[in-house]
RNA sequence: GCUCCCGUAGCUCAGUGGAUAGAGCACCUGCCUCCUAAGCAGGGGGCCGCAGGUUCAAGUCCUGCCGGGGGCACCA
């Protein structure tokens, strides 16, 4: 029996009772968890609504309490319900049979995260999640990490909810940002491709290629502005960017070859960074293929056929293909229509994105070619798109690895920061206009607010702030100005802090093990820090908060799980087996001794941990439906908190009363299981010890 | 001008229309002979920005206003 099954049964009973007793059809039966365990396990405020509707229908004024009293015996008859109380002005509070519930709950093997059989997953509609999508021209910063952690966690949550998911990381390898770094290499450094390769090889491990590009990109930004950071861009110098960009888009020339090396190396560096955080991808679709495999041409034809866009004969956008956008009223300054094809015939990013999105949904009629990009040590492969026609058979083995069939999803989730919500809306509408049968619902913009820097963080980084900046709540990061916290720097710092802590706690263990534990803690801290904020909250990054291992943090949650595991390392096998037997039997034969453990104030406290642990499924489902990983993070923290309290109050192994020990052991067992599953869905691992 | 988001404890943030609004940090007081103190317990702290409205019930929904941030490029 799962918690939600019992809830559903009770809901149904309320619904049918309302129909039979009062002739009222309830569309939705609201159920809630009472504020305190003593008040019950599930509450129905339904009597208030029924009182109003009875009055509407018959004119009879019936107090909610009396309605609740009438429903009480019907709910009490439900299997698994111990008793029902009417409380307050008319709440119906249901109390479960605690011993029986624990017995059934603990016997479930894998309540959450069981993704069914492989064939079952195969036929399910595919959810496409695009995240990370960092311009491959510099190292990742914490803003990018928020994107990647949000996306990766959402993927894990969907999978825990039994969904089939494909993960994409879009590579804009032919864009302006790559062009800028290429301008830097060619015109500032005067380097050839071979010289760049030699430089790359010579760079120290702690300051790799993406770090070099980070600095170079900043220098290019200054170069465009004649070395004045606040100056206007120099039109002559910007011509270099335009020429370079054009050559890169064109392809098949030395500049494009150089750009390809730069972009590919940055992608590799970024994937290394993400691997440190446990983040991987199924496929890396590149913009160069969208161009060279003529994805845009196909999308363009469809958009013209469906009259989604039209050619502007006159006005401000004369000579462009535009998509009307009536929800934004135009002004002199801001045009209402969105330009898709420029007057020079080139396509905008939005246009390319519509083509890409159509491919994601299987509505373009074209596919990429693919080749393996990276094989991970554990056998996973990340694929990248390719222009060349590598053998395409989906069942074909390449290096003993089968290539999955990419694209053709039922729903697309784009993890992109909220600053691009306007563009995302254009894409969503464009796609829906071309493919009305999938509609706008198939495209979901999983938006989130940016990560900015707190004033304290800027000071720590030695960033000069103007008087005006200091009065603001935060300072926006800027890749162009080089203002930001690089992901690897932060992870290094977290690992170093965690390592020194592990060293003082466990001087006896091997260096390798200490490093591994420190790594797990660092990742736990960073991921949790980025997940505890809801998506539409701006994170003003602060070192003190991000580097904390205490309080509401990842390590706090990990620590609770480690403690739970340590109980079972030390508990002898016999005690574990006898506990299991005793609790299992209580499912059918009422055991007074076991039931007694759940009585009184102490019993409520133990029971509240059981019900909280049992709500993991609900938390996972809620996070998946609301596309809000923060709710699962909060749930996990609360479960860890409840377990720490439980752990502190009870001597589990030393407990002498057999029934009581059986309950405590079982509660610890179900909690550690649920906690581990919750952490796994957050991408946080549980070390052996901490 | 139009549009989206935010405003809740000193600070940073949670809070599906339901009961006495929560957590972490900071501050104060206790608790390591114990399954590890990255922990636990207790304490002070709140016109939920303001004003109306809807509802049996509003921090939550609607309208207006005030304050802060983002977006509205032939950039991505």
């Amino acid at each position: 029996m799962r918690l939600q099954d019992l809830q559903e049964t009770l809901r149904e009973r309320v619904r049918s009772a309302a129909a039979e007793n009062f002739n009222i059809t309830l569309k939705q039966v609201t159920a809630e968890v009472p504020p305190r365990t003593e008040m019950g396990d599930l509450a129905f405020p339904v009597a208030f609504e029924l009182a109003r509707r009875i009055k509407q229908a018959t004119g009879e004024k019936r107090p909610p309490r009396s309605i609740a009293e009438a429903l009480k015996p019907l709910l009490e008859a439900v299997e698994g319900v111990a008793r029902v109380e009417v409380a307050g002005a008319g709440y119906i509070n249901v109390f479960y049979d605690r011993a029986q519930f624990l017995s059934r709950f603990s016997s479930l093997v894998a309540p959450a995260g069981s993704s069914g059989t492989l064939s079952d997953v195969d036929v399910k509609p595919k959810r496409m999640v695009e995240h990370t999508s960092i311009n491959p021209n510099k190292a990742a910063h914490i803003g990018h990490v928020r994107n990647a952690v949000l996306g990766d966690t959402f993927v894990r949550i969907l999978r825990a909810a039994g969904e089939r998911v494909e993960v994409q990381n879009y590579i804009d390898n032919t864009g302006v940002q790559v062009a800028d770094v290429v301008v830097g290499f060619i015109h500032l450094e005067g380097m050839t491709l071979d010289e760049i390769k030699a430089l790359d090889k010579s760079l120290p491990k702690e300051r790799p290629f993406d770090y070099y590009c980070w600095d170079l990109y900043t220098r290019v930004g200054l170069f465009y502005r004649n070395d004045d950071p606040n100056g206007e861009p120099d039109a002559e110098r910007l011509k270099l960017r335009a020429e370079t960009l054009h050559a890169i888009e064109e392809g098949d020339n030395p500049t494009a070859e150089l750009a390809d090396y730069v972009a590919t190396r940055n992608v590799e560096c970024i994937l290394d960074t993400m691997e440190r955080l446990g983040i991987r991808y199924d496929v890396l679709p590149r913009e160069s293929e969208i161009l060279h495999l003529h994805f845009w041409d196909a999308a363009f034809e469809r958009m013209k056929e469906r009259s989604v866009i039209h050619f502007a004969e006159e006005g401000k956008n004369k000579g462009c293909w535009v998509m009307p956008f009536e929800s934004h009223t135009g002004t002199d300054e801001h045009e209402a229509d969105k330009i898709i094809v420029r007057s020079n015939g080139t396509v905008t990013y939005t246009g390319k994105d519509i083509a890409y999105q159509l491919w994601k949904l299987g509505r373009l009629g074209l596919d990429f070619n693919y080749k393996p990009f990276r094989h991970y040590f554990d056998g996973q492969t990340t694929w990248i798109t390719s222009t060349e026609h590598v053998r395409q058979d989906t069942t074909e083995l390449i290096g003993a690895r089968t290539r999955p069939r990419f694209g053709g999803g039922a729903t697309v989730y784009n993890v992109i920061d909220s600053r691009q919500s306007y563009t995302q809306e254009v894409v969503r509408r464009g796609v829906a206009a071309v493919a009305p049968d999938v509609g706008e619902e198939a495209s979901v913009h999983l938006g989130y607010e940016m990560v900015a820097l707190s004033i304290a963080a800027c000071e720590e980084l030695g960033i000069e702030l103007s008087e005006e900046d200091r009065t603001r709540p935060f300072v926006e990061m800027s890749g162009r100005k080089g203002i930001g916290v690089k992901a690897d720097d932060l992870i290094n710092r977290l690992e170093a802090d965690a390592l020194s802590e592990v060293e003082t706690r466990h001087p006896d263990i091997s260096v390798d093990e200490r490093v591994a534990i420190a790594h797990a803690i660092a990742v736990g801290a960073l991921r949790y820090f980025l997940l505890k904020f809801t998506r539409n909250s701006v994170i003003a990054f602060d070192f003190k908060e991000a580097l904390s291992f205490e309080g509401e943090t990842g390590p706090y949650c990990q620590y609770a799980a480690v403690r739970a595991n340590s109980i079972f390392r030390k508990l002898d096998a016999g005690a574990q087996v006898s506990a299991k037997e005793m609790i299992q039997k209580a499912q059918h034969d009422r055991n007074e001794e076991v039931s007694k453990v759940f009585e009184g104030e102490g019993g409520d406290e133990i029971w509240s941990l059981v019900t909280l642990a049992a709500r993991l499924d609900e938390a996972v489902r809620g996070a998946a439906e609301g596309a809000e990983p923060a709710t699962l993070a909060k749930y996990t923290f609360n479960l860890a908190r409840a377990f720490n309290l439980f752990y502190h109050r009870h001597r589990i192994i030393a407990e002498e009363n057999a029934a009581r020990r059986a309950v405590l052991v079982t509660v610890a067992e179900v909690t550690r299981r649920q906690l581990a599953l919750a952490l796994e869905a957050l991408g946080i691992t549980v070390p052996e010890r901490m």
Side-chain angles (χ1 to χ4, degrees):
Chain A
M1 172 177 60
R2 296 181 310 166
L3 193 58
Q4 65 235 50
D5 296 337
L6 187 50
Q7 280 183 18
E8 252 336 287
T9 307
L10 287 163
R11 264 209 185 91
E12 264 322 303
R13 191 61 63 93
V14 169
R15 197 194 311 272
S16 60
E20 284 163 28
N21 297 18
F22 308 109
N23 197 27
I24 286 171
T25 311
L26 292 167
K27 266 188 223 139
Q28 269 180 315
V29 179
T30 308
E32 56 160 353
V33 179
R36 289 191 307 281
T37 312
E38 314 89 80
M39 299 169 89
D41 302 309
L42 196 67
F44 293 100
V46 71
F48 306 115
E49 191 189 340
L50 287 174
R52 182 175 55 84
R53 294 195 42 191
I54 289 168
K55 197 180 158 199
Q56 275 174 359
T58 66
E60 183 197 355
K61 241 179 149 177
R62 204 166 159 186
R65 269 197 84 97
S66 102
I67 296 167
E69 289 291 351
L71 296 176
K72 179 180 157 173
L74 299 165
L75 296 177
E76 259 170 353
V78 172
E79 166 76 15
V81 170
R83 67 179 204 281
V84 174
E85 281 178 6
V86 175
Y91 283 94
I92 302 168
N93 291 345
V94 181
F95 292 75
Y96 297 160
D97 182 327
R98 298 175 172 185
Q100 191 193 54
F101 184 89
L102 177 65
S103 178
R104 293 187 177 177
F105 177 43
S106 67
S107 68
L108 295 172
V109 184
S114 57
S115 44
T117 61
L118 201 65
S119 57
D120 176 40
V121 167
D122 269 350
V123 296
K124 281 194 159 184
K126 193 159 61 173
R127 313 288 165 203
M128 317 291 275
V129 180
E130 180 201 325
H131 65 79
T132 309
S133 304
I134 304 170
N135 272 303
N137 74 327
K138 60 179 179 304
H141 61 58
I142 44 170
H144 300 123
V145 178
R146 184 181 196 183
N147 182 303
V149 167
L150 256 177
D152 181 66
T153 306
F154 184 58
V155 168
R156 289 168 185 268
I157 287 167
L158 287 178
R159 287 185 174 144
E163 296 283 355
R164 179 179 168 214
V165 188
E166 180 173 314
V167 190
Q168 303 176 350
N169 173 7
Y170 181 68
I171 310 294
D172 185 3
N173 61 338
T174 55
V176 179
Q177 293 213 29
V178 168
D180 284 339
V181 174
V182 170
V183 166
F185 276 118
I186 296 176
H187 298 281
L188 266 59
E189 310 267 81
M191 290 175 96
T192 63
L193 177 54
D194 286 338
E195 284 166 341
I196 294 170
K197 285 180 181 173
L199 166 81
D200 188 4
K201 280 207 179 68
S202 74
L203 291 170
K205 208 179 144 229
E206 66 279 7
R207 294 193 63 80
F209 193 71
D210 59 337
Y211 273 53
Y212 188 90
C213 290
W214 175 285
D215 295 333
L216 182 57
Y217 182 52
T218 309
R219 282 165 56 206
V220 174
L222 276 170
F223 167 76
Y224 288 147
R225 287 170 168 73
N226 293 307
D227 298 328
D228 174 6
N230 302 313
E232 285 298 306
D234 182 318
E236 274 306 305
R237 292 187 167 183
L238 281 182
K239 276 185 187 165
L240 292 173
R241 169 200 266 177
E243 283 166 14
T244 307
L245 182 60
H246 184 73
I248 293 170
E249 282 182 352
E250 193 74 13
D252 216 13
N253 60 65
T255 302
E257 203 188 332
L258 194 151
D260 185 53
Y261 181 81
V262 170
T264 302
R265 281 293 295 126
N266 275 303
V267 170
E268 285 172 351
C269 290
I270 291 163
L271 256 60
D272 289 343
T273 304
M274 294 308 161
E275 173 66 5
R276 292 180 80 183
L277 298 173
I279 299 170
R280 294 181 183 178
Y281 314 89
D282 294 316
V283 63
L284 312 175
R286 293 193 296 188
E287 188 179 66
S288 53
E289 271 70 60
I290 289 182
L291 292 175
H292 299 142
L293 296 171
H294 309 290
F295 274 30
W296 166 244
D297 297 339
F300 194 27
E301 284 313 308
R302 276 155 206 263
M303 291 178 86
K304 282 191 281 195
E305 275 166 29
R306 295 259 181 188
S307 304
V308 178
I309 54 178
H310 64 266
F311 188 75
E313 299 281 0
E314 54 189 16
K316 200 180 161 205
N317 297 332
K318 186 177 175 185
C320 299
W321 285 86
V322 300
M323 194 173 130
F325 207 80
E326 64 288 341
S327 78
H328 291 69
T329 42
T331 59
D332 291 346
E333 212 177 331
H334 303 295
E335 199 59 45
D337 295 348
K338 179 69 195 168
I339 291 166
I340 303 296
V341 181
R342 302 180 187 106
S343 56
N344 66 5
T346 57
V347 58
T348 60
Y349 168 83
T350 311
K352 282 180 272 193
D353 218 21
I354 290 171
Y356 174 35
Q357 184 104 328
L358 284 168
W359 169 81
K360 285 181 182 175
L361 291 164
R363 296 311 168 109
L364 189 68
L366 292 172
D367 197 5
F368 294 105
N369 299 311
Y370 305 90
K371 61 186 178 191
F373 183 73
R374 172 169 294 201
H375 298 305
Y376 291 91
F377 64 91
D378 60 0
Q380 193 182 328
T381 300
T382 294
W383 298 75
I384 194 163
T385 57
S386 159
T387 311
E388 312 96 67
H389 188 77
V390 205
R391 292 169 304 171
Q392 272 260 67
D393 188 342
T394 53
T395 59
E396 175 180 24
L397 298 176
I398 299 180
R401 289 162 224 262
T402 312
R403 177 170 76 73
R405 185 188 295 272
F406 298 119
T411 322
V412 167
Y413 297 90
N414 293 326
V415 182
I416 303 177
D417 92 65
S418 310
R419 284 173 288 193
Q420 290 190 49
S421 54
Y422 172 66
T423 315
Q424 280 293 302
E425 201 181 334
V426 176
V427 171
R428 178 169 64 246
R429 287 182 180 216
V431 166
V434 172
D437 51 325
V438 303
E440 291 193 19
E441 301 73 37
S443 307
V444 179
H445 174 204
L446 219 149
Y448 62 93
E449 290 291 335
M450 65 178 154
V451 182
L453 300 175
S454 67
I455 302 300
C458 289
E459 279 165 357
E460 193 169 336
L461 290 165
I463 295 165
E464 281 187 33
L465 296 177
S466 66
E467 280 304 309
E468 198 198 338
D469 282 340
R470 283 174 189 282
T471 64
R472 309 184 82 180
F474 49 76
V475 174
E476 196 173 340
M477 288 193 283
S478 164
R480 183 175 64 73
K481 292 180 185 164
I483 296 175
V485 176
K486 288 198 259 314
D488 283 308
D489 287 349
L490 183 62
I491 301 168
N492 291 344
R493 221 169 131 179
L494 282 159
E495 285 181 344
D497 285 5
L499 186 61
S500 71
E501 195 64 39
V502 173
E503 272 163 358
T504 57
R505 285 165 195 250
H506 302 288
D508 51 316
I509 62 178
S510 75
V511 175
D512 282 357
E513 200 182 337
R514 287 201 293 244
V515 167
I517 293 168
H519 173 70
I521 292 168
V523 173
L526 181 53
R527 291 188 67 124
Y528 192 91
F529 172 73
L530 292 168
L531 290 171
K532 73 178 184 179
F533 299 92
T534 52
R535 288 192 283 117
N536 50 17
S537 168
V538 175
I539 299 179
F541 181 84
D542 184 79
F543 282 103
K544 189 174 165 289
E545 277 179 54
L547 294 169
S548 171
F549 297 151
E550 287 166 19
E552 195 197 338
T553 65
Y556 176 97
C557 301
Q558 290 170 305
Y559 190 63
V562 167
R563 281 177 147 180
N565 286 337
S566 76
I567 294 170
F568 292 91
R569 232 188 350 261
K570 296 190 178 167
L571 185 70
D572 69 272
Q576 216 165 327
V577 170
S578 63
K580 194 169 185 175
E581 277 172 5
M582 184 181 277
I583 298 299
Q584 283 310 301
K585 271 184 76 178
Q587 192 165 328
H588 307 290
D589 311 315
R590 190 171 162 82
N591 181 328
E592 289 304 328
E593 288 295 306
V594 170
S595 296
K596 233 178 102 183
V597 180
F598 282 117
E599 285 170 7
E601 213 174 295
D604 283 344
E605 183 258 313
I606 297 169
W607 172 243
S608 68
L609 179 56
V610 176
T611 54
L612 185 61
R615 265 182 230 123
L616 172 64
D617 284 26
E618 211 175 288
V620 167
R621 211 157 12 99
E625 283 167 10
E628 183 54 273
T631 59
L632 184 64
K634 294 282 177 193
Y635 167 83
T636 308
F637 171 67
N638 282 326
L639 185 57
R641 211 158 53 95
F643 179 77
N644 271 333
L645 173 62
F646 169 82
Y647 180 88
H648 185 257
R649 287 209 181 148
H650 308 286
R651 297 281 85 86
I652 296 157
I653 294 174
E655 176 58 50
E656 286 180 3
N657 177 295
R660 192 171 171 80
R661 187 175 61 237
V663 169
L664 295 178
V665 165
T666 307
V667 171
E669 168 60 25
V670 298
T671 307
R672 73 156 175 164
R673 197 179 66 198
Q674 300 292 82
L675 196 51
L677 286 169
L679 284 166
E680 192 185 333
L682 297 176
I684 297 173
T685 57
V686 180
E688 266 297 301
R689 43 187 159 177
M690 279 176 74

